Amino acid sequence: MKLDTLRMDHTDACNIKFREETGAIINWQVNYLYGLDDLCKKYLRPNFTVLELGSYDGVSTELFASYVDKVTAVDLVKRERIMGVLKRNQNINFHQKSFYSWRDSNTDRFDLVYIDGHHMTSSVRADLEIAEQVVKPGGFISGHDYNQMPVRIAVDMYFKDRLDELELFRDSSWLIKTKP
């Protein structure tokens, strides 16, 4: 699958420089999935299961589906584009409901949980708590839009004792391995 065909629709925050005060400058490319593809290549295996909390149009959902056997996507809205993604990818199970409703009926555990829901600090914090409940021991919690201050604050606060383990990717995705 060509990444150019998976270009995301939003155009804000492209090529943002971050952490200049520490000398670590990252040029975000949030409009493209190159960083997420790097994450997938490095960490995903075909037999993995991925949970995506917030799938919007299904762009990242489809990328995950190209790497793993099973993707579960949860979003309140089933947009037109994601219906095409679902037709093309039989390994995606889409749930049109809130993350809380889905969690209350879920019994599965996932190798990777990717968070890209509402971007308020309190919402990201709540999504992190759900992720921690459903990720397998030794699995990965990950997400998008670390370049956005409310997301960064929530992630940094949640993993405050493990920030040195937080890996950042050029599309503003982030990832941390959970304890076994």
Side-chain angles (χ1 to χ4, degrees):
M1 174 179 307
K2 288 189 170 190
L3 289 179
D4 291 338
T5 63
L6 294 177
R7 185 177 186 277
M8 297 183 73
D9 291 332
H10 60 78
T11 57
D12 58 313
C14 187
N15 295 323
I16 291 176
K17 290 184 178 178
F18 175 65
R19 288 198 176 165
E20 290 177 335
E21 70 280 0
T22 64
I25 299 173
I26 297 170
N27 288 318
W28 297 118
Q29 295 177 320
V30 298
N31 294 359
Y32 298 92
L33 294 178
Y34 300 116
L36 183 58
D37 190 52
D38 294 339
L39 181 155
C40 291
K41 286 176 183 170
K42 186 172 182 178
Y43 291 104
L44 295 184
R45 302 294 172 262
N47 64 332
F48 273 21
T49 56
V50 171
L51 169 64
E52 184 179 39
L53 295 175
S55 54
Y56 196 68
D57 280 341
V59 175
S60 53
T61 315
E62 191 161 32
L63 182 64
F64 289 133
S66 72
Y67 279 94
V68 302
D69 292 338
K70 181 182 174 191
V71 176
T72 299
V74 182
D75 204 303
L76 279 172
V77 179
K78 193 174 195 178
R79 291 174 177 79
E80 186 175 332
R81 187 189 182 285
I82 201 163
M83 289 188 263
V85 169
L86 297 173
K87 286 179 186 173
R88 288 190 301 275
N89 298 274
Q90 300 303 307
N91 60 335
I92 300 172
N93 187 7
F94 182 83
H95 299 270
Q96 185 178 353
K97 52 176 63 176
S98 74
F99 301 161
Y100 294 110
S101 281
W102 172 85
R103 179 203 58 198
D104 291 344
S105 62
N106 173 62
T107 58
D108 293 331
R109 296 292 173 258
F110 300 87
D111 297 289
L112 178 122
V113 179
Y114 192 78
I115 300 168
D116 196 8
H118 199 281
H119 291 55
M120 288 179 37
T121 300
S122 59
S123 297
V124 175
R125 171 77 188 194
D127 296 348
L128 286 164
E129 290 170 1
I130 291 172
E132 199 164 50
Q133 294 168 14
V134 300
V135 70
K136 291 178 181 177
F140 303 96
I141 298 176
S142 184
H144 193 235
D145 294 317
Y146 191 79
N147 62 308
Q148 294 187 20
M149 189 60 74
V151 173
R152 185 173 21 157
I153 289 169
V155 171
D156 287 357
M157 285 174 47
Y158 199 81
F159 296 112
K160 65 182 173 211
D161 297 329
R162 300 180 55 210
L163 285 177
D164 59 326
E165 300 172 43
L166 189 69
E167 188 168 351
L168 303 177
F169 296 86
R170 58 188 167 152
D171 71 327
S172 79
S173 287
W174 56 271
L175 175 138
I176 195 162
K177 184 175 176 105
T178 63
K179 301 291 182 189

